[in-house]
Every structure is written in structure tokens, then in C-alpha cells.
């Protein structure tokens, strides 16, 4: 037995040495997490593939900078001489033509010339009077002759603006070439040390039962976000999607800003105005899949199912009923990387939240997987390394173009090193969403009585994250607001929100408990759960009911596809208390910076007393989750210091009972408690 074991160990050591030689900073990753050492060859292979792809782009395209500017040649472009240059990739087509208003919709009068590698180009010379060939705002279509002879009408994958007229089912491609485009006036804000994200959807941002506009959001919602102390907005459903009720996750036109909210210039103004307020703007980018629409989407673009997507079953997501990109395809890489760059350059976005990363990372797309945390789940044949290499390339591009840009991964699997630098063999994301946290709060509210809440389990869920891989914590996002689920406020207060939120009526036990727990859940998530914090619009003040987009099942109603901001403006309603607390919580973080501080030191998680206490960023946080017990002279471990109350969920301005004296100073003494060198005595009120 000694011989084979020794040989196996020697081979493992050789493999580790080879990986360390190929991946510049892999040693740092393995020092942080020694349990990853057996998987060093996986990191080596991924890094080498990334480098090889990057080198190949350099050799064949002149570098990723040029490669990611596909939108400058593909699509339709006005030339300096007044002519028109058009280019498409349609490898399965027998012929490509341009038609539209400009040629009275003659389908075959303007044929493209076939080039190598499935590309097609067309140059239309200028008119003799040098007037515009294709006026701004006119309609265009591509005509594709498939190999079977079928004639297909398509929208260019590179179209910058599409819109739907009246009751039409399909979108029209509109040539967007305004005489005066929006000029940005303000520089990008510096990258925040502590990211406080306001997750937003432009269309539902009005209290009226209609689709709100970019203008409305700019004028009415941005000032609210600024006042609340958020330093970042994450804009959902911006990339054009034909089906409004998809929440923006079934993309049809990747380079087009959704026209249902307004024009591209109005979106630019929104981003620019946010920048003037010091607010970073992230785009919710969907590169994990695409809509199955063909007449106004990417599907079957050239008459084949394998143009942008995998052929056969691998090209379809069985749960989402959508198409899956072939990430190893050269032109798909160009398309997606150019799309990333387009939103950064054209619209001034400061980064991205990548949707559906778990689906991208694995051939099984996470379907039916529970992800126990065993490292074998993250390596091996189940990993889609084509997609992972694309992710690394995208992060490399974003951070090379704009070093202060931010990328966030929506990954439920917990893949190790996804948020580690590429130089360590990681995915290169800045943050991942801490997706277990909202699930924990919903589970507690649905399945447990208050007295049965487990303090240790709450702390574990809030602190269970990989060292040096930053997380965005959140108590709830848009997922929890969707029809079929409930917001935290609705789980807590339910039907009483309709009748007992007036300050003119006494607190009922349900409303009292709901308001107090709503604040506590958000604060402990903010302070303990990560290195960033996210809130979905309206949830900061306990927005009632759920979110449901107009569809056949609700008679196309907009009643639940709106945000009732007027509730928090009404001084006679208790929503203002939650809004005030959220604002002051964010501004306290701005002052003390706990999100950018090292992870908290938890000194107490007492099951009987329902007390959680921890220190972070020179602040001592104390939570009493007991439904009925308050405590006087309760000893809490700490460092040696003098303390004053800086935020009290029981304060009157937050809908509390004003049971604590904010002028009191608390002096710690060298009395060891809970493994802390010092301690102090405090009064802690219960949640009711």
C-alpha cells in the first residue's frame, strides 16, 4: 500500500505545483481556503482557458478592447459621407436583405453581400442631394432567406430601439439616430465603500395604475432614494423585453433600452441625474438566457435554432422556457461582451447585477439541486466552463474599462472563488447576493412562533459567507414581493395593514409586533449580513400587498404593478415610521461604515433571553427578539469604551414606545463577559 499512496501523493503535489505556477495568485486563494487545494487543477484549467481565449481574441481581433466594440460595425450605421453601412452575423442564412420605410418595404431591393464566417454586409451609397437615407424614427426590418427557402422578417440583434404600436403583438425596429443625442453633464461617482442598493423598476415606480416613465423616475423617485441614504440603484427590466410580466427577464432586444418607459435619451438623463446626486447606477443584465421570441427576438434569427444558442435540448431552459447561449461561440462572445460595453459606454452605467448566474455555471442549471456546500458540487463535469470563461471575460472587460465598476452575481449555489480575483483563478465578481438570508426570514415568519426563533441559527445564516468574498445582504428583494409570496410587512401584519395603520387608532398587537420586527429584521440584516445591503423599492416603508404585473390571469390589471409612495408621505399613517427608520439606518452606516468594516464579532446569541449582541465598526448592536421580556441592567460583553445610543428602534419617530433615555451614557468596566475583556449594563426592551 505504501507505494501507490506515495505515488498518488507525489502526483497531487506535482499537480498543485503546476497550478501554482500557472495561476499568478492561486497561492493566496489556497491560503485563505486550504480545502480548495485538491481542486487546484480545476482553477488552473479555468484560468488557462480564460487566458487562451483572451490571447486568441488578441491575435484574431486586435484585443478585447476592439472585440467588445461590435456595436460600432454590426447593425445599421450612418456613414460620414451620408451613406449607410449595415452588417449582420447570420451563418445559417442563404440571403440577407434590408427593407423598411426607406425603400417602401421592398423586401429584396437591398441585398447584403456574404462574407466569411457567416457575416453579411451592405453599403447603401448616399443620395445625390446627400439627404438622410434612413431618417431617424423610421422602421426597418431584416429579411432572411433560410436554407430551406423560407422568407423570414427579423429585427437586428444589434437594434438600439424597438417599440410596439397599439395592440400589435410584435415589436418594430425603429432606426434611432437623433440629430441631438443626450450629452452627459456629470462625472461618475466614486465607488462606494459600503454599497447600499435600492433595487428599482421604472415601470412600477408610480402609484398610478399605469407604466411609469424614465422621466417620472428621474423627477420623483431619485430624490426619495437620495433622501433615504442609498448610494446605489439597481435598475431592473431595462433591456427590452416583449412580455412586461416577465419582470424584464425574457430579453428580446439586448442593445435596446425598453421603450415602454420612454426614449434612450431619457434613460441617459436618468443615469446622469443619479450621478449628480452621487448615486451609482447598476444594470440588471440578463445574459443567462433569452426569450424564445423569433419575430422580435434572437431565437431562430437566421432560420436555425443554433445561431446564438446551443442546438437541441442543451439550448433550452426547461423551467424558464427560454433559449440558452452557446458561450464558446466566437460571435456569441462578441455579441455578449459588446453588450456589456454598450451599457457602460452608451448609457453610463457603473456596473451590473448578473442575473441567473447559477443557471450559467452548471449544465444542470441548478434545477433540482440543493447545494449542500460539499466542494465536489462546484467542480467536475457538471460545471459549464464555457459559461464560466465568459463570466471571467465579462468581469475582466468591465474592470479593465472602468476599474471602479461593480459586478454582482446572483448565485444560489455558493460556488467558491466566484467573487475572488481572476488572478486567483476566481470568477472576478465584486459581490454575490446572500440569497439564504431572505429565505431564513420568510421561514421564521411562516413556520415558527416568536418564542421559538433560534438566535444561533439567525446569526449563522447572517454570517455564513466565504472569507474575503463580499456579499450583498438583504431581508427581501423583488422575489419576495411577487404574487404567490408576501413581503415581510405583509407576512407580519397581513390584513390589518388595510385597517390599523392610522396613527389616530391605538396600536393593535399585530401592527405593534409587525412594525417593531420589520425594523429589527432590516437592521440586523444590514449590520451583520454582509459587505453591502439591498432593498427593493417600497419595502423600506412596509409596502402593502404583493407585486403582480398585468396579464390574462388578472384581467390585465395594473393595480398591483405600482408602488404607493404616497402612503409614506401621509403623516396620519404609520408607514412613515418605517421609512424614517430605514433612512436613519442608512445614514448611520454612512457615518460609521460597518459595511466596509471587518465581519462583526458576535458576543451573545442567547436562546432563552432571545438576545443577539455584536460589535462592528466601533458600534455595539443589541437586539432583543423576545416577544414579552424586557431586561434591566442586562450585562453585555464589549471592548473598553463609553457608549451612547445612536439608533433606537423603540424611538417615537420610528413608531416605537420611547422607553429608553437617549441622554444616558453607558460605561463599560473591566468585567469579563462572554469572552469579552469588558462589559456594560443596559436596559433592553422587548419587541412589543
Amino acid at each position: 500500500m505504501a507505494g501507490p499512496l506515495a505515488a498518488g501523493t507525489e502526483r497531487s503535489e506535482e499537480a498543485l505545483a503546476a497550478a501554482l505556477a500557472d495561476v499568478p495568485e492561486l497561492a493566496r486563494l489556497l491560503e485563505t481556503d486550504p480545502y480548495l487545494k485538491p481542486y487546484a487543477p480545476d482553477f488552473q484549467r479555468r484560468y488557462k482557458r480564460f487566458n487562451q481565449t483572451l490571447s486568441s481574441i488578441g491575435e484574431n481581433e486586435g484585443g478585447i478592447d476592439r472585440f467588445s466594440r461590435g456595436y460600432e460595425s454590426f447593425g445599421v450605421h450612418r456613414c460620414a459621407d451620408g451613406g449607410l453601412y449595415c452588417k449582420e452575423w447570420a451563418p445559417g442564412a442563404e440571403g440577407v436583405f434590408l427593407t423598411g420605410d426607406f425603400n417602401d418595404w421592398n423586401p429584396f431591393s437591398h441585398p447584403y453581400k456574404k462574407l466569411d464566417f457567416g457575416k453579411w454586409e451592405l453599403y447603401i451609397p448616399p443620395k445625390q442631394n446627400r439627404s438622410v437615407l434612413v431618417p431617424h424614427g423610421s422602421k426597418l426590418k431584416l429579411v432572411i432567406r433560410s436554407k430551406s427557402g423560407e422568407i423570414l422578417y427579423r429585427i437586428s440583434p444589434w437594434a438600439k430601439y424597438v417599440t410596439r404600436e397599439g395592440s400589435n403583438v410584435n415589436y418594430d425596429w425603429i432606426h434611432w439616430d437623433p440629430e441631438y443625442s443626450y450629452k452627459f453633464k456629470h462625472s461618475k461617482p466614486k465607488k462606494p465603500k459600503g454599497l447600499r442598493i435600492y433595487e428599482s423598476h421604472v415601470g412600477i415606480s408610480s402609484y398610478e395604475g399605469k407604466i411609469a416613465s424614465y422621466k417620472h423616475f428621474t423627477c420623483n423617485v431619485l430624490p426619495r432614494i437620495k433622501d433615504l441614504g442609498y448610494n446605489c440603484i439597481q435598475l431592473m427590466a431595462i433591456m427590452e423585453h416583449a412580455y412586461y410580466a416577465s419582470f424584464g427577464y425574457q430579453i428580446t432586444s439586448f442593445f435596446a433600452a425598453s421603450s415602454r418607459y420612454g426614449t434612450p435619451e431619457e434613460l441617459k438623463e436618468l443615469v446622469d441625474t443619479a450621478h449628480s446626486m452621487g448615486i451609482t447606477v447598476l444594470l440588471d443584465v440578463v445574459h443567462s438566457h433569452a426569450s424564445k421570441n423569433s419575430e422580435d427576438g434572437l431565437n431562430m434569427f437566421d432560420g436555425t435554432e443554433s445561431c446564438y444558442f446551443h442546438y437541441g435540448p442543451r439550448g433550452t431552459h426547461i423551467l424558464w422556457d427560454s433559449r440558452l447561449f452557446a458561450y464558446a461561440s466566437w460571435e456569441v462572445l462578441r455579441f455578449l461582451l459588446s453588450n456589456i460595453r454598450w451599457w457602460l459606454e452608451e448609457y453610463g452605467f457603473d456596473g451590473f447585477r448578473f442575473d441567473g448566474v447559477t443557471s450559467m455555471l452548471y449544465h444542470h442549471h441548478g434545477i433540482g439541486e440543493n447545494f449542500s456546500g460539499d466542494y465536489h458540487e462546484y467542480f467536475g463535469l457538471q460545471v459549464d466552463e464555457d459559461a464560466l470563461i465568459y463570466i471571467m471575460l465579462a468581469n475582466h472587460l468591465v474592470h479593465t474599462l472602468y476599474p471602479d465598476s461593480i459586478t454582482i452575481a446572483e448565485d444560489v449555489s455558493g460556488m467558491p472563488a466566484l467573487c475572488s480575483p481572476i488572478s486567483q483563478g476566481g470568477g472576478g465578481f465584486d459581490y454575490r447576493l446572500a440569497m439564504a438570508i431572505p429565505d431564513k426570514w420568510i421561514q421564521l415568519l411562516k413556520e415558527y412562533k416568536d418564542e421559538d426563533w433560534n438566535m444561533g441559527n439567525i446569526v449563522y445564516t447572517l454570517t455564513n459567507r466565504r472569507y474575503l468574498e463580499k456579499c450583498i445582504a438583504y431581508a427581501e428583494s423583488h422575489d419576495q414581493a411577487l404574487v404567490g409570496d408576501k413581503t415581510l410587512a405583509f407576512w407580519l401584519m397581513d390584513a390589518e395593514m388595510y385597517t390599523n395603520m392610522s396613527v389616530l387608532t391605538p396600536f393593535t398587537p399585530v401592527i405593534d409586533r409587525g412594525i417593531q420586527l420589520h425594523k429589527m429584521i432590516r437592521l440586523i440584516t444590514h449590520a451583520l449580513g454582509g459587505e453591502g445591503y439591498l432593498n427593493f423599492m417600497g419595502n423600506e416603508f412596509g409596502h402593502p400587498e404583493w407585486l403582480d404585473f398585468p396579464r390574462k390571469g388578472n384581467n390585465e390589471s395594473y393595480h398591483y404593478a405600482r408602488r404607493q409612495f404616497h402612503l409614506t408621505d401621509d403623516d396620519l399613517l404609520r408607514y412613515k415610521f418605517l421609512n424614517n427608520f430605514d433612512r436613519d439606518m442608512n445614514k448611520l452606516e454612512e457615518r460609521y461604515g460597518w459595511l466596509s468594516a471587518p465581519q462583526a464579532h458576535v458576543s451573545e446569541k442567547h436562546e432563552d433571553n432571545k438576545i443577539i449582541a455584536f460589535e462592528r465598526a466601533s458600534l455595539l448592536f443589541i437586539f432583543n427578539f423576545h416577544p414579552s421580556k424586557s431586561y434591566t441592567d442586562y450585562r453585555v460583553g464589549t471592548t473598553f469604551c463609553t457608549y451612547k445610543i445612536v439608533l433606537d428602534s423603540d424611538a417615537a419617530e420610528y413608531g416605537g414606545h420611547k422607553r429608553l433615555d437617549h441622554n444616558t451614557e453607558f460605561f463599560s468596566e473591566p468585567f469579563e463577559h462572554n469572552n469579552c475583556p469588558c462589559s456594560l449594563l443596559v436596559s433592553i426592551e422587548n419587541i412589543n
Side-chain angles (χ1 to χ4, degrees), residues 158-396:
W158 305 82
K160 299 179 178 69
Y161 189 66
V162 298
T163 188
R164 182 163 53 193
E165 292 184 351
S167 59
N168 290 354
V169 174
N170 295 319
Y171 273 71
D172 292 314
W173 173 16
I174 306 298
H175 183 56
W176 194 259
D177 187 21
E179 184 177 359
Y180 301 104
S181 59
Y182 184 85
K183 302 298 181 186
F184 287 89
K185 305 176 182 68
H186 305 283
S187 58
K188 291 172 172 279
K190 291 183 178 179
K191 186 176 182 177
K193 291 182 179 179
L195 204 57
R196 302 183 299 275
I197 303 172
Y198 197 80
E199 187 182 33
S200 305
H201 186 293
V202 171
I204 66 169
S205 63
S206 168
Y207 71 90
E208 299 178 81
K210 64 177 186 179
I211 298 175
S213 67
Y214 295 125
K215 281 281 190 183
H216 170 85
F217 192 93
T218 301
C219 297
N220 297 284
V221 183
L222 281 180
R224 289 183 181 274
I225 297 170
K226 176 67 174 176
D227 179 67
L228 284 165
Y230 290 93
N231 56 17
C232 178
I233 57 174
Q234 175 188 307
L235 286 179
M236 309 171 63
I238 294 297
M239 301 166 73
E240 190 60 271
H241 47 293
Y243 185 41
Y244 188 45
S246 74
F247 220 144
Y249 292 122
Q250 294 272 346
I251 306 302
T252 44
S253 290
F254 283 74
F255 286 83
S258 183
S259 60
R260 54 172 57 89
Y261 317 129
T263 68
E265 312 313 304
E266 289 166 346
L267 174 57
K268 293 172 188 176
E269 182 185 30
L270 187 162
V271 174
D272 197 27
T273 304
H275 286 168
S276 75
M277 298 176 175
I279 297 173
T280 295
V281 187
L282 305 181
L283 176 71
D284 204 350
V285 70
V286 186
H287 283 180
S288 49
H289 64 132
S291 167
K292 286 183 73 173
N293 288 20
S294 56
E295 290 195 30
D296 55 6
L298 286 183
N299 191 28
M300 303 289 291
F301 171 66
D302 63 355
T304 71
E305 65 172 282
S306 57
C307 184
Y308 284 90
F309 310 108
H310 288 294
Y311 178 80
R314 190 182 175 190
T316 300
H317 196 292
I318 59 173
L319 290 187
W320 297 344
D321 193 30
S322 54
R323 298 306 314 276
L324 298 172
F325 287 106
Y327 296 104
S329 166
W330 193 260
E331 293 303 326
V332 172
L333 276 181
R334 186 198 308 276
F335 180 79
L336 293 176
L337 291 173
S338 296
N339 191 235
I340 289 290
R341 184 167 193 155
W342 169 256
W343 293 105
L344 293 172
E345 300 269 345
E346 183 71 12
Y347 288 94
F349 281 96
D350 304 298
F352 305 95
R353 178 261 201 189
F354 280 74
D355 178 70
V357 170
T358 305
S359 177
M360 298 172 72
L361 289 174
Y362 307 98
H363 292 295
H364 54 61
H365 308 298
I367 299 171
E369 300 292 324
N370 291 321
F371 294 110
S372 66
D374 188 302
Y375 278 8
H376 286 92
E377 296 171 332
Y378 309 117
F379 303 93
L381 295 178
Q382 69 268 30
V383 176
D384 187 342
E385 292 199 348
D386 293 344
L388 183 54
I389 300 312
Y390 164 67
I391 285 170
M392 296 169 74
L393 288 167
N395 278 308
H396 170 77

Side-chain angles (χ1 to χ4, degrees), residues 73-141:
S73 58
F74 285 85
V76 173
H77 302 274
R78 176 164 47 89
C79 303
D81 65 0
L84 208 67
Y85 180 74
C86 314
K87 189 176 181 182
E88 297 295 340
W89 177 62
E94 280 294 313
V96 179
F97 308 84
L98 186 68
T99 189
D101 293 333
F102 78 100
N103 68 354
D104 294 325
W105 294 97
N106 186 322
F108 306 119
S109 63
H110 289 79
Y112 283 64
K113 175 186 175 184
K114 189 172 185 179
L115 306 175
D116 292 334
F117 308 111
K119 296 172 188 172
W120 301 78
E121 72 173 3
L122 166 67
Y123 174 72
I124 307 175
K127 295 180 180 179
Q128 286 188 347
N129 62 3
R130 301 185 69 82
S131 62
V132 178
L133 270 169
V134 179
H136 167 67
S138 60
K139 294 180 182 178
L140 293 170
K141 278 279 189 180

Side-chain angles (χ1 to χ4, degrees), residues 7-28:
T9 302
E10 187 175 332
R11 282 195 296 270
S12 297
E13 290 176 352
E14 289 174 356
L16 177 59
L20 290 169
D22 284 338
V23 187
E25 297 182 352
L26 179 59
R28 186 173 299 180

Side-chain angles (χ1 to χ4, degrees), residues 429-440:
F429 284 107
D430 295 299
Y431 298 87
R432 60 160 32 104
L433 293 177
M435 301 181 73
I437 295 175
D439 292 343
K440 175 54 62 178

